[in-house]
Every structure is written in structure tokens, then in C-alpha cells.
Amino acid sequence: MPIPEFVAALRAHVGTAPLWLSGVSAVVRDDDGRILLTRRADNGRWAVVSGILEPGEEPAVAAVREVAEETGVVADVVRLTSVDVTAPITYPNGDVAQYLDVCFLLRATGGSAHVADDENLEVAWFAPDALPADLTDTSTLRINKALRNVPDAWFRRP
């Protein structure tokens, strides 16, 4: 898993002790209303795209960047959908982190969905009523919040 350089530098000082980090998540929909998901390499479960903000980076910019880096999909921000605090997460290497997660709804505008980094095993589009059973709980929460009060017409082809 690529760890941002600033986090690796912090880890050099604090070891695996808990870190409080800012993160972003993206619920990405295509013109057919499908949702883009990734199967994570660290736990094997499906999830929305997420990542850590770089120092000084705007959250919406980070969400668009993470989607492109992880999936090859180009997307535009539709709106902010939620701000949540995750439970502490212990990664396979023993690192512990807790995130302030800023989630956005994005609309796919280009690119081709594929595994574009080593953080994911698969990338696929799913209909909102046919999401995989092994979707992470946090992704289920983020999708539900993102799709609340959003007309399907926003994602239909003209």
C-alpha cells in the first residue's frame, strides 16, 4: 500500500501509535447511475474510493485525484455528502489510524475503470440495488448518504 510521504515521516517518529488523519471518500456514479467500487487489497472487501489528503490539499480536489489514481476514472464533484469520523482502524502492518472522512458524490466524465494502483484488487461498476454483499459498512453508510435526495436524472444520458 502506498503511504503518503508525510505519513511515513510521522510513522518514523510515532511507530504504529494511533494517528488522527484527514481522509476523503468518493461515491462515483456513471451515466447509467451505477456506482464505482474497488475491492481493497488490505481486507479483500468492496469499498468506495477513499484516501488521505495531502498537506494543504482541498478535500474535493483530493477526492477527484484519488478516483483517478485508483481507478483511471475521470470525475467531477457533484456535491459534498457527509463528514464523519471513522472508528480506529488497525492495518495489517500494525499501524493504527482514525480518520475525519469528507465524502463527495462524483459524476464520472471519462476514463476507463480499471485497477490503477496496488491498493486495489478489482474495480467495477454496480447498480445501486445490486451492491456486493461484502461491501464495507462505512461504504454502505457513505453510499446511503450520497444518494439521499439525488434525482436519478442527474446521471442519465441525455
Side-chain angles (χ1 to χ4, degrees):
M1 296 283 155
I3 298 173
E5 288 183 28
F6 80 96
V7 175
L10 286 170
R11 287 284 177 211
H13 296 287
V14 301
T16 59
L19 287 180
W20 173 250
L21 298 169
S22 299
V24 292
S25 294
V27 176
V28 183
R29 293 187 82 185
D30 67 4
D31 288 340
D32 296 320
R34 298 177 302 170
I35 298 171
L36 182 66
L37 298 176
T38 63
R39 184 181 292 277
R40 295 179 55 92
D42 61 353
N43 63 19
R45 295 183 69 191
W46 289 98
V48 298
V49 174
S50 62
I52 298 171
L53 276 84
E54 298 291 334
E57 187 176 30
E58 293 287 337
V61 172
V64 170
R65 174 185 54 77
E66 287 289 345
V67 169
E69 286 178 358
E70 293 187 17
T71 72
V73 171
V74 177
D76 292 333
V77 173
V78 174
R79 68 181 177 106
L80 173 70
T81 61
S82 63
V83 178
D84 296 298
V85 175
T86 69
I89 299 167
T90 302
Y91 291 97
N93 67 358
D95 288 351
V96 179
Q98 190 169 12
Y99 296 90
L100 173 68
D101 183 79
V102 182
C103 186
F104 295 90
L105 177 62
L106 277 65
R107 180 180 183 156
T109 59
S112 175
H114 64 278
V115 175
D117 65 9
D118 63 355
E119 294 182 50
N120 299 296
L121 304 172
E122 295 179 71
V123 173
W125 293 99
F126 294 88
D129 61 354
L131 298 174
D134 58 346
L135 182 65
T136 64
D137 292 339
T138 54
S139 291
T140 299
L141 176 70
R142 291 172 184 149
I143 290 168
N144 288 338
K145 288 181 177 183
L147 299 186
R148 191 177 299 144
N149 301 319
V150 175
D152 284 341
W154 285 6
F155 296 93
R156 287 198 186 113
R157 292 182 197 161

